[in-house]
Amino acid sequence: MREINFDGLVGPSHNYAGLSFGNIASASNAGAVSSPRAAALQGVAKMRHMLALGLPQGLLLPHDRPDATWLRQLGFAGDDDAVLAAAWREDPGLLRNVMAASAMWTANAGTVSPAPDTGDGRCHISVANLSTMLHRSLEAPQTARQLRLAFGDPCHFAVHDALPSPLGDEGAANFMRMAPRHAARGIELFVYGVRQESGFPSRQNRTASAAVARRHGLDPADTLFVQQSAAAIAAGAFHNDVVAVANETVLFTHEQAFEDPAAVYAFIRSRLPEAIILEVPAAQVSLEAAIRSYLFNSQLVTLPDGAMALIVPGECREVPAVWAWLQTMLAGNGPIRSVEALDLRESMRNGGGPACLRLRVAVDDAAYAAIDPRFLLDPARCDLLAGLIERYWPERIAPDDLGDPAMWRQCRAARAALLDGLGFGPGEL
Ligand SMILES: NCCC[C@H](NC(=O)CCC(=O)O)C(=O)O
């Protein structure tokens, strides 16, 4: 078994529109000028880095932006440019929503239960409806098409449609799997939020989490539904993966991630006695520092030699308490033997760190061979990607550019060139 990280490529329309209430980075960078080309190249550099660490790497593709088709449901008529121009004139916020490149954060594409855990022994993927935020709610149909193309072999994969929209589901960002190793049967933790009277929205609905577990045929004895702490949501942890991450036997979490941590740890230890729970005390790293640095929105991976590495955003260097804690952790004799800091500043300024940018899919060799290879990367394909980005991605997008027909055309042309360059025929995605 190997765990593949499917990173979402930053799309040509990447911009800072301040669309995610409750996501502090999104709000604080609203209206800034974005650098789509640099952002996408930062993402390719991350994928190259993971390949260089000996880890398999996959890719999910930017969605069709601007999404004029979605606007037509709102009564806008005419050809794409007419629809978009009318929306920009009548309600520019709508255009900002249909220009969002938020599909890059593929931790929200869906929830993946690897084959050892599921009732029928196949890898089950439930597409997330992302219904809480309008701009994200656009994503499910195109995400479903991509996942059904990539994981189309019904002998190894089952891809489930998104749940009905009132049941908010944000996918793998609110999910953690622990097991002796990827290939062994594991336990699956689904983290949900309870609506807060005041303050930020809780984006994961418990009923949705339970529905995903039911559809995947998980054993209830190996499944736990965990309430995210109100304090974490209030501090701006709009997904669990901002305050916790798990890999095989290790849970790396902030002390205040869960409403009832003792119950979570007791469940984990009862089902996985060899579990190692690395809890970071608030006294050493406050929730605010954790969210400013995205310490826990890291990739916690098992390298080919069996040691674990923590892939953190460069921002962790800029928060002294966080960087100090990481040095202390490395000096100890824990399971995490190395920390790698990557520059993902463009994505981070919209609240997406290393973990947001990837969907984890653990597969055995037969299932791996069944994946559509166009969604898998090697260094040569990274070179191809980088060449297309440098040639077609906009250098910068300022707020007013979102209403510019030339920008709409450039975004469409860039995505068309990408799909063609990667071997996708017209209409496949
Ligand atoms: N897993 C990380 C997701 C970050 C994402 N940010 C955004 O959509 C910001 C988009 C903007 O504000 O332009 C979100 O909040 O869902």
Side-chain angles (χ1 to χ4, degrees), residues 15 17-20 23 26 105 108 135-136 203 239 350-351 356:
N15 69 88
L19 299 172
S20 287
N23 167 344
S26 159
W105 297 298
N108 306 123
H135 67 293
R136 306 231 53 193
R203 293 164 61 168
H239 288 138
N350 248 342
C356 295

